[in-house]
Amino acid sequence: MSVQTAAPAPSTSVTKPRGPAARSALWHVTVIVLVLALMYPVLWLVSSSFKPANEVLSNLSLLPDHGTASNYSQVFDGVAGYSVWRYFGNSLLVSGLAVIGNVLSCALAGYVFGRLQFRGRGPLFAFMLSTIMLPHHVVLIPQYIIFQKLDMVNTFWPLVLPKFFATDAFFVFLMVQFVRGLPKELDESATIDGCGPFRTFWYVILPLLRPAIITTSIFTFIWTWNDFFSQLIYLNDPSKFTLPLGLQMYVDQTSQSAFGPMFAMSVLALIPIGLFFIAFQRFIVDGVSTSGLKG
Amino acid sequence: MPTIARARSVGERAEASAAKVPAQPPQRRRQRSGAAYVFLSPWLIGAALLTVGPMLASLYLSFTDYNLFDTPRWVGLRNFERMFTQDDRYWNSVWVTVKFALISVPLKLAVALGIALLLNKPRRGTAFYRSAFYAPSLLGASVSVALVWRSLFGSNGAVDHFLGIFGIHVGSLVDQPRYALLTVIALAVWQFGAPMVIFLAGLKQVPSELYEAAALDGAGPARRFFSVTLPMITPVLLFNLVLEIIQAFQSFTGAFVIGSGRGGPSDSALLYTLYLYQRGFNNFEMGYASAMAWVLLVVIAIITVLLFRSSRKWVFYAGEGTR
């Protein structure tokens, strides 16, 4: 293994020295072309949202011939009865509460599974791990019935409440792995100093869990923001609609006629994800490679 | 290290209250076990009321006829019988899902590995490119991008124009039963970023001395890939394969939006979960939908077990056997 650390750039020693500058340039060009091709749909979406109605579908270039912001003003005025801000606010509320719920409940469960010794830990931990693979559809219908009996259908509760009960086992596991990596001496000394388990968790473990909390927050936010299935099932009053639902309803109601506003609304729906991505891309990519969370 | 300072101040604060909490080791351990369960209570409640309970309930419902309003009526195996022997749309959705998984997963993993290899060499800007290739993984799950897809693959869309350059005129791919699923597959493959990042992490683990030895033996790039890289990353490949297959079997949003909420022209993109949704939430056949969900669970479990079983033959773990 010492060889591995001794040679930081292994590949260069293997490849034949054939004009490294030219090869590097070729590599950069290839990668940039691929990135642009890959991002074309997104760039086209953004540009289409600034195109007038007659241009939206016929113009495949990334620059509008006659740029206009009217699509956006139409969306702000209201589509399908509500201003887009309504859907935006609903999405924000649901995603924000989901983040809080997931972080608190998963960190707590992660601390218990990762640190505390108690009877029944083994089987419970094994069960928790097995639920990672469980398809959501198996619990979907009874969950729906429960929330219906509780009169919570058509409220945000079914979307938010499960997050406060650590139902996303992936994040519990992420926290467990992280807690295990923390030096035990810290919470031992806290115990010696008279901290009970809760104070140890709150003042010692939770602050140290920051990287895992950031990863959990980012993914919970983006997944909830993008989530379509649960929102489609639980929300049916347009005033409660989140952005994906508002968008889908708008498409259903206007059929093929109003692509401009539809694209403007699509762009607005992507902006938070884009901002999160730009701000946290390092955490996101590292989070994926270290924990195996998928997009 | 601000965290240590934080911990120390905790200690000081705790010292002040130490008088109130006498330290008695045996009692503390019991308290701990109790405390563990108190802390675990959110998870325990969730596991009992939102996972185990609903699993048992949906198993029960799968043997009933239940429309959400009347009481469930026990029908024995009738749901499964109807599903397997009388429901053509069910088998169609199975076939569509299998096609979707069989095409999209290998393609996605091949693209992911290809780009990972391209980004593996440490060069300037690699971190940026890595993020750029990952971006579609996050964006692609949204309704917005699925709508873009519908436009790009629809009539007068970019794909039609692009193919027109080569003299191929297909018209709207989204509206033709032959091609609708392909557009859903293309959207899934576009989101290759997550497996790519995991492949990259795996590639970093390959010891460079293996490449040096292979180069000394005169192995070309292709040979090095098939004899060194590929065997060494089989554990990561297995991981990606399992996750992507599970994900493929549960895909919903892309097919829902691209197929106008119905699953495409003449059910050509009617994925399993889409059909489950239609049965459960459009037709209120909750018993039937529960039966479908259980079949899905069993199938996913079988596939996972088979993959792990077969992995003994093709997954190579360093430090084991041929070392």
Side-chain angles (χ1 to χ4, degrees), chain B residues 168-196:
Chain B
I168 306 167
H169 295 282
V170 285
S172 170
L173 292 167
V174 180
D175 298 314
Q176 297 176 52
R178 280 181 69 182
Y179 301 116
L181 185 64
L182 282 182
T183 62
V184 182
I185 290 172
L187 177 56
V189 174
W190 189 62
Q191 303 170 56
F192 65 85
M196 174 204 73

PDB file of all heavy atoms in Angstrom, chain B residues 168-196:
ATOM      1  N   ILE B 168     -33.428  10.681 -41.050  1.00  0.00           N
ATOM      2  CA  ILE B 168     -34.398   9.829 -40.361  1.00  0.00           C
ATOM      3  C   ILE B 168     -35.530  10.703 -39.863  1.00  0.00           C
ATOM      4  O   ILE B 168     -35.298  11.666 -39.125  1.00  0.00           O
ATOM      5  CB  ILE B 168     -33.736   9.108 -39.163  1.00  0.00           C
ATOM      6  CG1 ILE B 168     -32.490   8.357 -39.626  1.00  0.00           C
ATOM      7  CG2 ILE B 168     -34.716   8.172 -38.487  1.00  0.00           C
ATOM      8  CD1 ILE B 168     -31.608   7.895 -38.496  1.00  0.00           C
ATOM      9  N   HIS B 169     -36.744  10.382 -40.267  1.00  0.00           N
ATOM     10  CA  HIS B 169     -37.879  11.187 -39.801  1.00  0.00           C
ATOM     11  C   HIS B 169     -38.814  10.312 -38.994  1.00  0.00           C
ATOM     12  O   HIS B 169     -39.474   9.435 -39.531  1.00  0.00           O
ATOM     13  CB  HIS B 169     -38.594  11.824 -40.990  1.00  0.00           C
ATOM     14  CG  HIS B 169     -37.710  12.820 -41.694  1.00  0.00           C
ATOM     15  ND1 HIS B 169     -37.478  14.078 -41.210  1.00  0.00           N
ATOM     16  CD2 HIS B 169     -36.953  12.708 -42.812  1.00  0.00           C
ATOM     17  CE1 HIS B 169     -36.639  14.719 -42.011  1.00  0.00           C
ATOM     18  NE2 HIS B 169     -36.292  13.902 -42.982  1.00  0.00           N
ATOM     19  N   VAL B 170     -38.821  10.538 -37.689  1.00  0.00           N
ATOM     20  CA  VAL B 170     -39.640   9.690 -36.831  1.00  0.00           C
ATOM     21  C   VAL B 170     -40.839  10.433 -36.267  1.00  0.00           C
ATOM     22  O   VAL B 170     -41.771   9.818 -35.785  1.00  0.00           O
ATOM     23  CB  VAL B 170     -38.816   9.124 -35.652  1.00  0.00           C
ATOM     24  CG1 VAL B 170     -37.912   8.019 -36.145  1.00  0.00           C
ATOM     25  CG2 VAL B 170     -38.035  10.229 -34.973  1.00  0.00           C
ATOM     26  N   GLY B 171     -40.819  11.746 -36.317  1.00  0.00           N
ATOM     27  CA  GLY B 171     -41.914  12.507 -35.717  1.00  0.00           C
ATOM     28  C   GLY B 171     -41.811  12.489 -34.203  1.00  0.00           C
ATOM     29  O   GLY B 171     -40.714  12.416 -33.649  1.00  0.00           O
ATOM     30  N   SER B 172     -42.942  12.530 -33.537  1.00  0.00           N
ATOM     31  CA  SER B 172     -42.944  12.584 -32.086  1.00  0.00           C
ATOM     32  C   SER B 172     -42.707  11.202 -31.492  1.00  0.00           C
ATOM     33  O   SER B 172     -43.536  10.303 -31.618  1.00  0.00           O
ATOM     34  CB  SER B 172     -44.278  13.145 -31.604  1.00  0.00           C
ATOM     35  OG  SER B 172     -44.359  12.975 -30.221  1.00  0.00           O
ATOM     36  N   LEU B 173     -41.576  11.044 -30.840  1.00  0.00           N
ATOM     37  CA  LEU B 173     -41.261   9.747 -30.230  1.00  0.00           C
ATOM     38  C   LEU B 173     -42.188   9.451 -29.056  1.00  0.00           C
ATOM     39  O   LEU B 173     -42.539   8.301 -28.803  1.00  0.00           O
ATOM     40  CB  LEU B 173     -39.812   9.741 -29.750  1.00  0.00           C
ATOM     41  CG  LEU B 173     -38.738   9.771 -30.832  1.00  0.00           C
ATOM     42  CD1 LEU B 173     -37.383  10.089 -30.227  1.00  0.00           C
ATOM     43  CD2 LEU B 173     -38.690   8.449 -31.555  1.00  0.00           C
ATOM     44  N   VAL B 174     -42.573  10.529 -28.364  1.00  0.00           N
ATOM     45  CA  VAL B 174     -43.381  10.362 -27.160  1.00  0.00           C
ATOM     46  C   VAL B 174     -44.751   9.768 -27.473  1.00  0.00           C
ATOM     47  O   VAL B 174     -45.323   9.042 -26.668  1.00  0.00           O
ATOM     48  CB  VAL B 174     -43.547  11.733 -26.459  1.00  0.00           C
ATOM     49  CG1 VAL B 174     -44.372  11.614 -25.212  1.00  0.00           C
ATOM     50  CG2 VAL B 174     -42.186  12.324 -26.149  1.00  0.00           C
ATOM     51  N   ASP B 175     -45.270  10.059 -28.670  1.00  0.00           N
ATOM     52  CA  ASP B 175     -46.634   9.645 -28.996  1.00  0.00           C
ATOM     53  C   ASP B 175     -46.706   8.320 -29.745  1.00  0.00           C
ATOM     54  O   ASP B 175     -47.776   7.936 -30.199  1.00  0.00           O
ATOM     55  CB  ASP B 175     -47.318  10.745 -29.819  1.00  0.00           C
ATOM     56  CG  ASP B 175     -47.427  12.025 -29.024  1.00  0.00           C
ATOM     57  OD1 ASP B 175     -47.837  11.935 -27.859  1.00  0.00           O
ATOM     58  OD2 ASP B 175     -47.072  13.101 -29.549  1.00  0.00           O
ATOM     59  N   GLN B 176     -45.561   7.663 -29.930  1.00  0.00           N
ATOM     60  CA  GLN B 176     -45.595   6.389 -30.635  1.00  0.00           C
ATOM     61  C   GLN B 176     -45.318   5.243 -29.677  1.00  0.00           C
ATOM     62  O   GLN B 176     -44.317   5.245 -28.978  1.00  0.00           O
ATOM     63  CB  GLN B 176     -44.545   6.378 -31.749  1.00  0.00           C
ATOM     64  CG  GLN B 176     -44.805   7.428 -32.820  1.00  0.00           C
ATOM     65  CD  GLN B 176     -43.696   7.440 -33.856  1.00  0.00           C
ATOM     66  OE1 GLN B 176     -43.348   6.426 -34.417  1.00  0.00           O
ATOM     67  NE2 GLN B 176     -43.127   8.609 -34.078  1.00  0.00           N
ATOM     68  N   PRO B 177     -46.209   4.244 -29.669  1.00  0.00           N
ATOM     69  CA  PRO B 177     -46.028   3.118 -28.750  1.00  0.00           C
ATOM     70  C   PRO B 177     -44.649   2.468 -28.874  1.00  0.00           C
ATOM     71  O   PRO B 177     -44.105   1.967 -27.889  1.00  0.00           O
ATOM     72  CB  PRO B 177     -47.119   2.137 -29.178  1.00  0.00           C
ATOM     73  CG  PRO B 177     -48.147   2.975 -29.837  1.00  0.00           C
ATOM     74  CD  PRO B 177     -47.433   4.126 -30.458  1.00  0.00           C
ATOM     75  N   ARG B 178     -44.068   2.490 -30.077  1.00  0.00           N
ATOM     76  CA  ARG B 178     -42.774   1.822 -30.256  1.00  0.00           C
ATOM     77  C   ARG B 178     -41.655   2.541 -29.515  1.00  0.00           C
ATOM     78  O   ARG B 178     -40.664   1.939 -29.138  1.00  0.00           O
ATOM     79  CB  ARG B 178     -42.411   1.767 -31.749  1.00  0.00           C
ATOM     80  CG  ARG B 178     -43.121   0.666 -32.491  1.00  0.00           C
ATOM     81  CD  ARG B 178     -42.695   0.669 -33.938  1.00  0.00           C
ATOM     82  NE  ARG B 178     -41.304   0.259 -34.108  1.00  0.00           N
ATOM     83  CZ  ARG B 178     -40.701   0.229 -35.294  1.00  0.00           C
ATOM     84  NH1 ARG B 178     -41.349   0.588 -36.374  1.00  0.00           N
ATOM     85  NH2 ARG B 178     -39.454  -0.159 -35.394  1.00  0.00           N
ATOM     86  N   TYR B 179     -41.784   3.862 -29.383  1.00  0.00           N
ATOM     87  CA  TYR B 179     -40.641   4.632 -28.878  1.00  0.00           C
ATOM     88  C   TYR B 179     -40.861   5.309 -27.531  1.00  0.00           C
ATOM     89  O   TYR B 179     -39.917   5.811 -26.935  1.00  0.00           O
ATOM     90  CB  TYR B 179     -40.253   5.708 -29.907  1.00  0.00           C
ATOM     91  CG  TYR B 179     -39.882   5.158 -31.252  1.00  0.00           C
ATOM     92  CD1 TYR B 179     -40.641   5.458 -32.383  1.00  0.00           C
ATOM     93  CD2 TYR B 179     -38.774   4.336 -31.396  1.00  0.00           C
ATOM     94  CE1 TYR B 179     -40.298   4.949 -33.623  1.00  0.00           C
ATOM     95  CE2 TYR B 179     -38.420   3.824 -32.632  1.00  0.00           C
ATOM     96  CZ  TYR B 179     -39.189   4.131 -33.743  1.00  0.00           C
ATOM     97  OH  TYR B 179     -38.843   3.624 -34.963  1.00  0.00           O
ATOM     98  N   ALA B 180     -42.098   5.373 -27.058  1.00  0.00           N
ATOM     99  CA  ALA B 180     -42.372   6.152 -25.840  1.00  0.00           C
ATOM    100  C   ALA B 180     -41.481   5.708 -24.670  1.00  0.00           C
ATOM    101  O   ALA B 180     -40.915   6.536 -23.952  1.00  0.00           O
ATOM    102  CB  ALA B 180     -43.844   6.030 -25.462  1.00  0.00           C
ATOM    103  N   LEU B 181     -41.334   4.384 -24.504  1.00  0.00           N
ATOM    104  CA  LEU B 181     -40.526   3.900 -23.388  1.00  0.00           C
ATOM    105  C   LEU B 181     -39.066   4.311 -23.541  1.00  0.00           C
ATOM    106  O   LEU B 181     -38.385   4.577 -22.546  1.00  0.00           O
ATOM    107  CB  LEU B 181     -40.644   2.378 -23.268  1.00  0.00           C
ATOM    108  CG  LEU B 181     -39.936   1.760 -22.055  1.00  0.00           C
ATOM    109  CD1 LEU B 181     -40.546   2.248 -20.759  1.00  0.00           C
ATOM    110  CD2 LEU B 181     -39.959   0.241 -22.106  1.00  0.00           C
ATOM    111  N   LEU B 182     -38.613   4.384 -24.801  1.00  0.00           N
ATOM    112  CA  LEU B 182     -37.216   4.764 -25.033  1.00  0.00           C
ATOM    113  C   LEU B 182     -36.924   6.151 -24.465  1.00  0.00           C
ATOM    114  O   LEU B 182     -35.840   6.391 -23.938  1.00  0.00           O
ATOM    115  CB  LEU B 182     -36.897   4.747 -26.525  1.00  0.00           C
ATOM    116  CG  LEU B 182     -36.670   3.372 -27.141  1.00  0.00           C
ATOM    117  CD1 LEU B 182     -36.316   3.515 -28.612  1.00  0.00           C
ATOM    118  CD2 LEU B 182     -35.567   2.624 -26.402  1.00  0.00           C
ATOM    119  N   THR B 183     -37.883   7.056 -24.580  1.00  0.00           N
ATOM    120  CA  THR B 183     -37.647   8.404 -24.056  1.00  0.00           C
ATOM    121  C   THR B 183     -37.553   8.377 -22.524  1.00  0.00           C
ATOM    122  O   THR B 183     -36.766   9.113 -21.934  1.00  0.00           O
ATOM    123  CB  THR B 183     -38.759   9.377 -24.487  1.00  0.00           C
ATOM    124  OG1 THR B 183     -39.989   8.915 -23.955  1.00  0.00           O
ATOM    125  CG2 THR B 183     -38.864   9.457 -25.990  1.00  0.00           C
ATOM    126  N   VAL B 184     -38.360   7.507 -21.904  1.00  0.00           N
ATOM    127  CA  VAL B 184     -38.277   7.367 -20.443  1.00  0.00           C
ATOM    128  C   VAL B 184     -36.918   6.779 -20.069  1.00  0.00           C
ATOM    129  O   VAL B 184     -36.276   7.201 -19.093  1.00  0.00           O
ATOM    130  CB  VAL B 184     -39.421   6.478 -19.908  1.00  0.00           C
ATOM    131  CG1 VAL B 184     -39.363   6.388 -18.393  1.00  0.00           C
ATOM    132  CG2 VAL B 184     -40.769   7.025 -20.346  1.00  0.00           C
ATOM    133  N   ILE B 185     -36.464   5.812 -20.864  1.00  0.00           N
ATOM    134  CA  ILE B 185     -35.148   5.205 -20.628  1.00  0.00           C
ATOM    135  C   ILE B 185     -34.050   6.256 -20.769  1.00  0.00           C
ATOM    136  O   ILE B 185     -33.126   6.333 -19.946  1.00  0.00           O
ATOM    137  CB  ILE B 185     -34.918   4.030 -21.599  1.00  0.00           C
ATOM    138  CG1 ILE B 185     -35.839   2.862 -21.230  1.00  0.00           C
ATOM    139  CG2 ILE B 185     -33.458   3.585 -21.598  1.00  0.00           C
ATOM    140  CD1 ILE B 185     -35.849   1.725 -22.226  1.00  0.00           C
ATOM    141  N   ALA B 186     -34.173   7.089 -21.822  1.00  0.00           N
ATOM    142  CA  ALA B 186     -33.150   8.125 -22.040  1.00  0.00           C
ATOM    143  C   ALA B 186     -33.061   9.053 -20.832  1.00  0.00           C
ATOM    144  O   ALA B 186     -31.967   9.432 -20.405  1.00  0.00           O
ATOM    145  CB  ALA B 186     -33.475   8.920 -23.302  1.00  0.00           C
ATOM    146  N   LEU B 187     -34.211   9.393 -20.259  1.00  0.00           N
ATOM    147  CA  LEU B 187     -34.212  10.268 -19.081  1.00  0.00           C
ATOM    148  C   LEU B 187     -33.519   9.576 -17.904  1.00  0.00           C
ATOM    149  O   LEU B 187     -32.774  10.197 -17.148  1.00  0.00           O
ATOM    150  CB  LEU B 187     -35.648  10.661 -18.719  1.00  0.00           C
ATOM    151  CG  LEU B 187     -35.818  11.526 -17.472  1.00  0.00           C
ATOM    152  CD1 LEU B 187     -35.013  12.794 -17.571  1.00  0.00           C
ATOM    153  CD2 LEU B 187     -37.287  11.860 -17.237  1.00  0.00           C
ATOM    154  N   ALA B 188     -33.762   8.275 -17.755  1.00  0.00           N
ATOM    155  CA  ALA B 188     -33.135   7.534 -16.652  1.00  0.00           C
ATOM    156  C   ALA B 188     -31.621   7.469 -16.844  1.00  0.00           C
ATOM    157  O   ALA B 188     -30.857   7.664 -15.899  1.00  0.00           O
ATOM    158  CB  ALA B 188     -33.726   6.132 -16.558  1.00  0.00           C
ATOM    159  N   VAL B 189     -31.186   7.211 -18.094  1.00  0.00           N
ATOM    160  CA  VAL B 189     -29.745   7.083 -18.353  1.00  0.00           C
ATOM    161  C   VAL B 189     -29.055   8.428 -18.152  1.00  0.00           C
ATOM    162  O   VAL B 189     -27.927   8.495 -17.667  1.00  0.00           O
ATOM    163  CB  VAL B 189     -29.497   6.537 -19.774  1.00  0.00           C
ATOM    164  CG1 VAL B 189     -28.014   6.542 -20.107  1.00  0.00           C
ATOM    165  CG2 VAL B 189     -30.063   5.134 -19.908  1.00  0.00           C
ATOM    166  N   TRP B 190     -29.762   9.493 -18.494  1.00  0.00           N
ATOM    167  CA  TRP B 190     -29.218  10.851 -18.337  1.00  0.00           C
ATOM    168  C   TRP B 190     -28.773  11.095 -16.895  1.00  0.00           C
ATOM    169  O   TRP B 190     -27.838  11.836 -16.630  1.00  0.00           O
ATOM    170  CB  TRP B 190     -30.303  11.852 -18.747  1.00  0.00           C
ATOM    171  CG  TRP B 190     -29.870  13.275 -18.848  1.00  0.00           C
ATOM    172  CD1 TRP B 190     -28.938  13.784 -19.699  1.00  0.00           C
ATOM    173  CD2 TRP B 190     -30.365  14.380 -18.088  1.00  0.00           C
ATOM    174  NE1 TRP B 190     -28.826  15.137 -19.521  1.00  0.00           N
ATOM    175  CE2 TRP B 190     -29.695  15.535 -18.531  1.00  0.00           C
ATOM    176  CE3 TRP B 190     -31.324  14.505 -17.078  1.00  0.00           C
ATOM    177  CZ2 TRP B 190     -29.935  16.798 -18.004  1.00  0.00           C
ATOM    178  CZ3 TRP B 190     -31.569  15.757 -16.553  1.00  0.00           C
ATOM    179  CH2 TRP B 190     -30.878  16.894 -17.022  1.00  0.00           C
ATOM    180  N   GLN B 191     -29.436  10.432 -15.968  1.00  0.00           N
ATOM    181  CA  GLN B 191     -29.106  10.616 -14.552  1.00  0.00           C
ATOM    182  C   GLN B 191     -28.054   9.611 -14.093  1.00  0.00           C
ATOM    183  O   GLN B 191     -28.228   8.934 -13.095  1.00  0.00           O
ATOM    184  CB  GLN B 191     -30.358  10.446 -13.700  1.00  0.00           C
ATOM    185  CG  GLN B 191     -31.473  11.394 -14.079  1.00  0.00           C
ATOM    186  CD  GLN B 191     -32.759  11.030 -13.371  1.00  0.00           C
ATOM    187  OE1 GLN B 191     -32.817  10.952 -12.165  1.00  0.00           O
ATOM    188  NE2 GLN B 191     -33.803  10.768 -14.127  1.00  0.00           N
ATOM    189  N   PHE B 192     -26.951   9.531 -14.831  1.00  0.00           N
ATOM    190  CA  PHE B 192     -25.932   8.536 -14.517  1.00  0.00           C
ATOM    191  C   PHE B 192     -24.948   9.032 -13.457  1.00  0.00           C
ATOM    192  O   PHE B 192     -24.017   8.317 -13.081  1.00  0.00           O
ATOM    193  CB  PHE B 192     -25.160   8.157 -15.783  1.00  0.00           C
ATOM    194  CG  PHE B 192     -24.365   9.307 -16.349  1.00  0.00           C
ATOM    195  CD1 PHE B 192     -23.097   9.578 -15.877  1.00  0.00           C
ATOM    196  CD2 PHE B 192     -24.903  10.139 -17.322  1.00  0.00           C
ATOM    197  CE1 PHE B 192     -22.374  10.657 -16.376  1.00  0.00           C
ATOM    198  CE2 PHE B 192     -24.189  11.209 -17.816  1.00  0.00           C
ATOM    199  CZ  PHE B 192     -22.926  11.473 -17.333  1.00  0.00           C
ATOM    200  N   GLY B 193     -25.136  10.262 -12.968  1.00  0.00           N
ATOM    201  CA  GLY B 193     -24.141  10.888 -12.095  1.00  0.00           C
ATOM    202  C   GLY B 193     -23.868  10.158 -10.794  1.00  0.00           C
ATOM    203  O   GLY B 193     -22.724  10.050 -10.365  1.00  0.00           O
ATOM    204  N   ALA B 194     -24.925   9.640 -10.152  1.00  0.00           N
ATOM    205  CA  ALA B 194     -24.713   8.997  -8.851  1.00  0.00           C
ATOM    206  C   ALA B 194     -23.854   7.737  -8.969  1.00  0.00           C
ATOM    207  O   ALA B 194     -22.849   7.616  -8.265  1.00  0.00           O
ATOM    208  CB  ALA B 194     -26.054   8.707  -8.191  1.00  0.00           C
ATOM    209  N   PRO B 195     -24.197   6.791  -9.880  1.00  0.00           N
ATOM    210  CA  PRO B 195     -23.289   5.649 -10.014  1.00  0.00           C
ATOM    211  C   PRO B 195     -21.896   6.061 -10.477  1.00  0.00           C
ATOM    212  O   PRO B 195     -20.909   5.443 -10.084  1.00  0.00           O
ATOM    213  CB  PRO B 195     -23.976   4.752 -11.054  1.00  0.00           C
ATOM    214  CG  PRO B 195     -25.057   5.557 -11.654  1.00  0.00           C
ATOM    215  CD  PRO B 195     -25.418   6.608 -10.664  1.00  0.00           C
ATOM    216  N   MET B 196     -21.809   7.141 -11.266  1.00  0.00           N
ATOM    217  CA  MET B 196     -20.498   7.604 -11.724  1.00  0.00           C
ATOM    218  C   MET B 196     -19.618   8.002 -10.528  1.00  0.00           C
ATOM    219  O   MET B 196     -18.444   7.619 -10.453  1.00  0.00           O
ATOM    220  CB  MET B 196     -20.657   8.813 -12.650  1.00  0.00           C
ATOM    221  CG  MET B 196     -19.343   9.443 -13.067  1.00  0.00           C
ATOM    222  SD  MET B 196     -19.511  11.189 -13.540  1.00  0.00           S
ATOM    223  CE  MET B 196     -19.776  11.994 -11.970  1.00  0.00           C
TER     224      MET B 196
END
